[in-house]
Amino acid sequence: MSEHSPLPPPATSSVTAGHGLALGLAAVVGAALAGALLSGFASRTGALAFADWLDLGRSADRSAFAVAMGGIGGAAGGALGLWLMLSRLARSGAMLRLAAAAVAAVAFFSVALGYVAFAVTTPPPPVQPFLIVQLRLDGLGWRDLALTGEAGRSHVPAEGLEWRVDAYDVTTADAVLPLVEPSGMRAIILARGGREIARFSLDLPGDPPATARYSHWLTPDRRQGTSPGIEMRFRIERRIVR
């Protein structure tokens, strides 16, 4: 009798094994990505809600905190998803599952520690004083005027300057100037084409208290030319800057 050599394994068995390995790897990677995305989004959303609830920090501080917590939360969710999928698919690889579980635990602990650190170290949003100015000028042709505040050696441009003309040809305007200099606000200046035409001296401190009402109407202490009547009044408003 002739000896028969063993038959080679069918090719379909190796193809099936490779296909199963690819599916398993795809499942593991997909679980890690899904966990990272879901946990990262939840952690970022929770961080923003936490910062808003405590009302701490400015918007930049809250955004940075949310990004950091989202990144750490994403790492925790990715590691947790990897551990869950490995536990279902792999009978071996205990060290890999242990490493994934350890990363998830450390990341979740880091998220909790980040919340505590933000609550302890972040100050409340600052309170910024603002100078609210109203102008009243006789006649027309004032819309090209620029209004600035003189604060120490710097000039603060007006925000939201709007000119209006009523039925009696009186031009009025409202403007807001932040009080950002410790030296305070020394004067309000009206200029046209870079040339000063009127100056109201104020000499306000850098951090004045809020006022409930406007001051009385003031006339400029210095004025160029024979321009018609110019008056100004103001009040101090303190706003929380988030």
Side-chain angles (χ1 to χ4, degrees), residues 36-52 59 62-74 111 115:
L37 291 175
L38 292 175
S39 182
F41 177 77
S43 182
R44 180 183 180 278
T45 304
L48 286 175
F50 180 74
D52 290 339
S59 58
R62 300 182 186 190
S63 297
F65 171 62
V67 169
M69 293 300 98
I72 299 175
V111 169
Y115 274 57

Side-chain angles (χ1 to χ4, degrees), residues 136-230:
R136 187 168 63 187
L137 306 95
D138 293 339
L140 307 176
W142 300 104
R143 294 177 180 268
D144 60 336
L145 292 184
L147 187 149
T148 57
E150 187 180 82
R153 297 183 178 180
S154 62
H155 285 76
V156 180
E159 301 175 357
L161 181 61
E162 298 180 0
W163 297 95
R164 299 178 300 275
V165 179
D166 62 15
Y168 301 97
D169 291 340
V170 174
T171 302
T172 59
D174 297 280
V176 178
L177 294 95
L179 295 172
V180 295
E181 294 289 339
S183 58
M185 188 75 69
R186 295 182 179 179
I188 298 296
I189 300 171
L190 284 173
R192 172 179 284 135
R195 178 173 175 271
E196 180 181 316
I197 66 170
R199 170 186 291 262
F200 298 87
S201 295
L202 295 179
D203 200 20
L204 292 174
D207 191 22
T211 57
R213 299 179 180 180
Y214 280 98
S215 68
H216 59 279
W217 287 101
L218 305 173
T219 57
D221 55 315
R222 187 174 9 173
R223 186 170 62 182
Q224 299 292 333
T226 58
S227 56
I230 301 176

